[in-house]
Amino acid sequence: MTRRGNPQDLTEAYFIGLMNSVGYRNKDLAKPVIGIVNSWNDVNPGHKPFAQLAGYVKEGIWAAGGTPAEFTVPAPCDGMAQGEGMHYILPQRDLIAASIETMVEAHGFDGVVFLASCDKIIPGMLMAAARLDLPAIFLTAGAMLPHLEEGREYVTSDLKEAIGKRKKAEIDDETFDSWRTHFCASAGTCSMYGTANTMGAFLEASGVAPFGSSTMLFCEAAKVRQSRDVGERVVELVRQNLKFSDFLNQTSLTNGILHVSATGGSTNAVLHLLALAGVMGLKLSLQDFDAIQASVPVIARFKPSAELNINDFHRAGGVPAVLSTIRQYIDLGAKLVMGGTLAEYLANYRKPVYRSVIRSLEEPLLPGGCFSILAGNLAPLGAVVKKSGVEPGMYRHVGPAVVFDSEEAVRDYLLNADVRPGSVLVIRYEGPKGGPGMRELSIPAAMLVGMGLHTSVAMVTDGRFSGATRGPCVGHVCPEAWEGGPLALVENGDIIEIDLEQKKLELRVPAEELQRRRENWQRPQRKLKGALAAYRAGVGGAEQGAPWLYRDDWGN
């Protein structure tokens, strides 16, 4: 029996009549009605392929005896939203989650297929799926084609770093214009291991998406076949009453975190998975996350932390090859949404693993995980840095602070000032409340690399960095400056110590001086209206995953 459309229930006449008005037959409504959450649009390359893929999912649903019902949600592109637009990106994660929850519950769908590829859309859909706890499967669009030029492959992160190269006059205007035109070579997710592909790989590793879905090229015929398989499988899940929590739970969440760490994933995954755990009702602190991720070695790295891109990852075996390699660290009893358990899948996994891409446990790239979760008097509740993207010579850095109160200020400094090697660029009031929206400082970080300063200059912020960021970039500093966190008290010339091995972030200023500054501190004036005002009023700290609409301390 479906949740809606029972002809024996007279009160369902309105529902049945309106569904007939859009083309559904009464006998269609007697089948499992599957909501297809489509995040397609024309302005996000990672989501453009869903215009076609949704049709193949529908074919699978019809073939299995179900009834597809497609609706759409926003899908902003982080890359396009740099600067002022970035204020609106993280809030959309929770807006997407809430819009899905309310649509699915309003229409009473029996199961759900989530079509998502990019940075905030996958996390938002995961939060919705966890809250709904219906039979559900995720499907990503696949990866963008890399651009080949003079024997080298380039991807989106290379374009960001090109800004710094142009600033240093290492390339001319003609080259820069050519790179802007060609580096993003097709639709699909940017072929780097940023947040989009980190979260796509997480879907696979945690068992809620088909293997290979995130790493294959968007244009492969296998993606069409996979879409039909997903459509068929979700109908089976409904008939077997297998809910999302049967697949995504404490066990599989941990497996997913281990995969993220073993492959040098995005720091944004820390933020999103903390928020997801909260929706799932699991207690996962920043320190708990650190303990999990630090238990596995790093066995793979991709653009921008290495020359390899996502297409290389796919050819080398992709997510299953990593899971097979780290099998002693993961729980093999985890169930897979496409059927069976992880143990059963890996027992039959026969593809060769390219050890030039995915290292063995005997020859890892790094021990102890890809992140460093820092703490100290500058970050009492924690901070996050992608250690696997930092040159070893910068694992420990001590230098004078150069303080900025916005991303725009540090961008201007990098473009127009003489940046002194050894300094620590402090960018504050960019946290969840202060920004608001916890903007990612993707372009300033990439400029630092492009200017060759990532081996001598560090960044510290209560904002975020892109999954494609490399270099000594410390983000998520908690409490944020807007809430009176110690970052608000830093002054130019203060000495800051960053130690990734000791997991320490310290401000070398006497406690009595900090207290004096605190007594004189005033929050900057940033008046807001609309969605951003609502966001500032409700969002939680980054150490909790910056929950907003799905905060567990609201209501009741």
Side-chain angles (χ1 to χ4, degrees):
M1 179 64 67
T2 61
R3 291 209 291 169
R4 299 295 307 274
N6 179 7
Q8 305 306 315
D9 184 347
L10 296 180
T11 63
E12 284 289 272
Y14 207 23
F15 175 85
I16 293 170
L18 289 169
M19 288 293 277
N20 271 263
S21 77
V22 290
Y24 291 98
R25 303 164 298 178
N26 288 356
K27 65 179 182 180
D28 297 330
L29 304 181
K31 303 172 183 178
V33 180
I34 309 299
I36 300 174
V37 188
N38 195 348
S39 52
W40 164 83
N41 62 50
D42 267 338
V43 292
N44 184 334
H47 292 251
K48 191 172 177 64
F50 287 135
Q52 287 75 42
L53 293 180
Y56 299 123
V57 174
K58 289 178 182 178
E59 290 175 4
I61 292 171
W62 285 120
T67 298
E70 180 184 359
F71 66 95
T72 58
V73 294
C77 174
D78 286 43
M80 295 186 191
Q82 294 295 317
E84 281 297 311
M86 186 56 66
H87 290 296
Y88 293 88
I89 289 294
L90 187 57
Q92 288 213 46
R93 181 194 69 184
D94 289 53
L95 287 170
I96 289 166
S99 67
I100 294 167
E101 177 193 348
T102 51
M103 179 68 177
V104 170
E105 292 291 26
H107 280 247
F109 299 129
D110 301 302
V112 190
V113 174
F114 292 93
L115 304 183
S117 289
C118 289
D119 301 40
K120 306 304 171 292
I121 302 91
I122 291 177
M125 289 192 181
L126 276 167
M127 292 164 69
R131 178 61 57 86
L132 292 165
D133 200 22
L134 292 168
I137 305 179
F138 279 75
L139 182 68
T140 54
M144 181 183 289
L145 291 164
H147 171 68
L148 182 63
E149 186 174 305
E150 297 182 353
R152 182 183 173 191
E153 290 187 328
Y154 294 88
V155 301
T156 311
S157 58
D158 295 305
L159 180 56
K160 287 191 288 187
E161 293 180 8
I163 299 170
K165 293 180 185 293
R166 183 67 196 94
K167 166 68 168 57
K168 286 188 67 180
E170 289 184 11
I171 56 174
D172 58 23
D173 283 336
E174 184 178 357
T175 300
F176 188 52
D177 184 59
S178 175
W179 285 7
R180 282 187 297 195
T181 303
H182 297 108
F183 275 12
C184 301
S186 72
T189 56
C190 300
S191 191
M192 59 190 182
Y193 208 49
T195 307
N197 283 313
T198 296
M199 295 306 299
F202 170 85
L203 294 175
E204 295 184 42
S206 60
V208 298
F211 283 123
S213 52
S214 65
T215 56
M216 71 171 62
L217 292 173
F218 84 99
C219 51
E220 292 188 37
K223 179 58 72 174
V224 174
R225 299 192 296 270
Q226 191 178 73
S227 300
R228 291 194 178 104
D229 290 341
V230 164
E232 290 181 345
R233 177 60 180 164
V234 73
V235 177
E236 295 176 19
L237 295 179
V238 172
R239 288 178 174 147
Q240 296 172 23
N241 194 31
L242 292 172
K243 297 180 179 180
F244 194 64
S245 59
D246 290 315
F247 304 100
L248 189 67
N249 44 46
Q250 179 75 71
T251 296
S252 55
L253 178 68
T254 299
N255 284 350
I257 293 172
L258 289 167
H259 182 278
V260 168
S261 184
T263 50
S266 165
T267 51
N268 284 319
V270 182
L271 192 77
H272 299 319
L273 295 179
L274 289 173
L276 175 61
V279 178
M280 295 169 66
L282 302 176
K283 298 299 182 184
L284 182 70
S285 68
L286 191 55
Q287 291 68 36
D288 295 332
F289 188 100
D290 189 26
I292 296 169
Q293 72 87 26
S295 69
V296 68
V298 178
I299 59 170
R301 282 190 299 206
F302 304 100
K303 287 272 190 175
S305 298
E307 282 300 303
L308 301 167
N309 58 52
I310 295 304
N311 197 33
D312 296 316
F313 186 21
H314 187 68
R315 288 192 293 250
V319 173
V322 172
L323 295 177
S324 179
T325 302
I326 64 170
R327 61 191 306 148
Q328 70 187 62
Y329 295 94
I330 58 180
D331 191 324
L332 298 174
K335 294 179 180 179
L336 305 177
V337 74
M338 298 304 289
T341 65
L342 189 52
E344 291 166 342
Y345 183 91
L346 293 180
N348 296 309
Y349 184 72
R350 295 289 182 268
K351 294 182 181 179
V353 179
Y354 297 171
R355 291 303 178 198
S356 59
V357 178
I358 300 170
R359 296 283 192 93
S360 67
L361 293 180
E362 291 71 35
E363 296 182 293
L365 293 164
L366 284 172
C370 78
F371 304 117
S372 283
I373 307 300
L374 310 181
N377 72 341
L378 194 52
L381 298 181
V384 180
V385 61
K386 184 173 174 177
K387 180 180 176 182
S388 62
V390 179
E391 296 290 334
M394 289 293 287
Y395 282 1
R396 185 174 185 274
H397 180 75
V398 179
V402 184
V403 182
F404 308 91
D405 286 348
S406 70
E407 178 188 0
E408 286 78 10
V410 75
R411 278 202 203 190
D412 181 70
Y413 178 78
L414 290 170
L415 284 171
N416 300 305
D418 183 17
V419 183
R420 291 189 178 183
S423 57
V424 179
L425 308 184
V426 173
I427 308 96
R428 62 192 178 193
Y429 302 116
E430 289 290 2
K433 288 181 180 289
M438 202 179 180
R439 289 196 290 180
E440 68 170 38
L441 276 65
S442 171
I443 289 180
M447 290 171 66
L448 206 66
V449 174
M451 294 165 68
L453 293 170
H454 62 294
T455 57
S456 61
V457 176
M459 282 187 176
V460 176
T461 182
D462 49 9
R464 301 180 292 116
F465 289 103
S466 165
T469 295
R470 63 185 174 115
C473 298
V474 180
H476 307 205
V477 172
C478 304
E480 62 173 292
W482 187 266
E483 295 281 69
L487 207 64
L489 309 179
V490 181
E491 295 182 357
N492 287 325
D494 288 349
I495 300 301
I496 293 176
E497 178 185 1
I498 305 166
D499 193 323
L500 306 192
E501 299 283 19
Q502 298 299 317
K503 299 185 177 182
K504 183 167 61 173
L505 182 60
E506 290 283 340
L507 178 63
R508 293 183 177 177
V509 174
E512 56 271 20
E513 170 61 16
L514 291 178
Q515 181 57 35
R516 184 193 66 79
R517 294 180 188 179
R518 182 172 298 283
E519 291 170 358
N520 295 311
W521 172 71
Q522 290 186 329
R523 179 184 290 149
Q525 294 295 313
R526 290 184 179 177
K527 293 184 179 180
L528 300 172
K529 59 183 179 181
L532 292 184
Y535 187 77
R536 175 176 284 168
V539 70
E543 76 281 359
Q544 303 169 322
W548 175 30
L549 298 177
Y550 279 8
R551 285 183 63 170
D552 59 9
D553 56 350
W554 276 24
N556 301 321

